[in-house]
Amino acid sequence: MAGVGEAASILALANFAYDTSKKLYEVVSSFKSRRTDIREVQSSLTALVFVLQLVQQQILESGDECKYEPLRQPMQCCISTGEDMQKSLDACTQRSNDVHASIRDWLKMQFHGKSFADMKQRLTSYQSTLSIAFASVNIQDHGTTQESIEDMKGLIEGTKQDLIDQAEKVEEAIRDAAESLRDRLRADRAQIQGALGALKQAQQVANATRPGIMIKENRAGHDARAIFGTDILRPQFDLRVSNNTVEERATMAAGVHSTETLQALLKSSGKSELALLLQTLQSPLR
């Protein structure tokens, strides 16, 4: 990849991926083409630029680049495919000043053993892989529903099958290609395998994640009682609490409560009980 090395920081990689994708998006959009293939590429690039913008923002805000290391392989895949599309497009526009002729040539062009359709499918799959990897990094930081977890698993499975189909197509191309193209096609195969590895990691995160409920920034007023949680012994969700406050003679609790505990919490709390409740609220419950 021109402009960024394998050892680049995650933020540097995200910045480079963003710049590369945005530049390609702007060029493709300037054609103002209504062709379905071009509009599909625009859609994939729009989604890619959006998620990369979020990645940049979160890395800068968190200051923890290691957390986002699972995004490295998907971003490298997106960069490589974007560069291929840009180079093939440049070759077409250099041959003609006619936009329609350039688009027509681009749609018919073979570049490094790949057709436009191959590159378009690869871009869509890698964008989806990056979005999934990004979601898996964030899923533990926020409350999530069972429905959203199942949606994520469905997206993982669909993207995985698309990549497997593309990998099989590349295997066929390697067997039939001239020797001069085989190294490039093997690199394509390695990238697809890397994306599949990122999906496998995201699948493990999804399988290990339970729905979560976040209780935060609530206030129990004077003499009030605020009780959050369940009386089910082993709930199928994680309850997290933070930044909750209580006023004088107020009661607040979050967690799994027995009948006896609920009855006690409904009574007026003394200072010692209030301190205990506040201590409980300071730590997420698992």
Side-chain angles (χ1 to χ4, degrees), residues 227-232 239 253-262 265:
I227 302 173
F228 306 100
T230 179
D231 59 355
I232 300 173
L239 181 65
V256 178
H257 309 296
S258 67
T259 302
E260 294 77 12
T261 300
L262 288 172
L265 289 171

Side-chain angles (χ1 to χ4, degrees), residues 178-199:
E179 188 62 36
S180 58
L181 280 177
R182 286 182 181 173
D183 284 346
R184 180 68 193 197
L185 290 170
R186 291 188 185 105
D188 287 342
R189 178 179 61 190
Q191 279 195 338
I192 294 174
Q193 293 300 325
L196 286 168
L199 289 178

Side-chain angles (χ1 to χ4, degrees), residues 4 30 60 62 64 67 72 84 86-87 134 154 163 197 229 232 282-283:
V4 64
S30 70
L60 285 170
S62 72
D64 181 11
K67 174 181 176 181
R72 179 177 294 276
D84 281 352
Q86 184 69 61
K87 289 174 183 176
F134 186 51
L163 286 170
I232 300 173
Q282 289 171 0
S283 303

Side-chain angles (χ1 to χ4, degrees), residues 8 22 52-53 99 132 143 155 171 180 201 213 230 259 262:
K22 190 170 185 288
L52 285 168
Q53 202 167 26
V99 170
I132 290 167
L155 186 57
E171 287 290 354
S180 58
Q201 187 173 355
I213 299 174
T230 179
T259 302
L262 288 172

Side-chain angles (χ1 to χ4, degrees), residues 24 29 61 86 187 209 211 231 277:
L24 181 58
S29 297
E61 289 177 353
Q86 184 69 61
T209 299
D231 59 355
L277 293 172

